[in-house]
Amino acid sequence: MSAVAAAAKRIVERVPKAARTFKTSTGQQSGGHGHSSGGYDDYIHAEHMYSLSKMPHRKLKMGLACSGIVLAGAGIPIAAIQFQKAKARG
């Protein structure tokens, strides 16, 4: 056994053994912030976020959002193909 290995073994033997434990705690309770917690815990900070029926200019906004998603879904692959063709041409 080399001197370095013997010194490492002595150092390891002197270090106290650590006890590995698994600690848990209770989860954070819902409610507070002036909101009722009567079964609507999903939207504590934005409870009116998905009220699409009350959104002003809903048809315009949703139409623009859907059109943008469709255009991006078609435009990104087309741009990638054009880029690959340009690289292949040299």
Side-chain angles (χ1 to χ4, degrees):
M1 182 180 265
S2 71
V4 174
K9 185 177 179 183
R10 281 190 301 259
I11 291 171
V12 169
E13 287 174 354
R14 276 191 253 153
V15 175
K17 303 259 185 212
R20 295 183 182 211
T21 60
F22 185 75
K23 297 179 182 179
T24 62
S25 62
T26 60
Q28 185 177 1
Q29 298 295 320
S30 298
H33 301 293
H35 300 285
S36 64
S37 61
Y40 300 101
D41 295 334
D42 294 336
Y43 308 112
I44 290 175
H45 296 290
E47 56 188 33
H48 302 294
M49 184 176 198
Y50 299 109
S51 298
L52 295 180
S53 60
K54 296 178 184 175
M55 177 187 286
H57 309 293
R58 180 184 66 219
K59 288 185 180 181
L60 175 66
K61 290 178 183 177
M62 291 299 122
L64 288 173
C66 291
S67 300
I69 290 169
V70 169
L71 288 174
I76 291 173
I78 291 171
I81 290 169
Q82 295 298 325
F83 178 72
Q84 286 180 343
K85 284 183 179 180
K87 282 185 73 171
R89 277 192 300 254

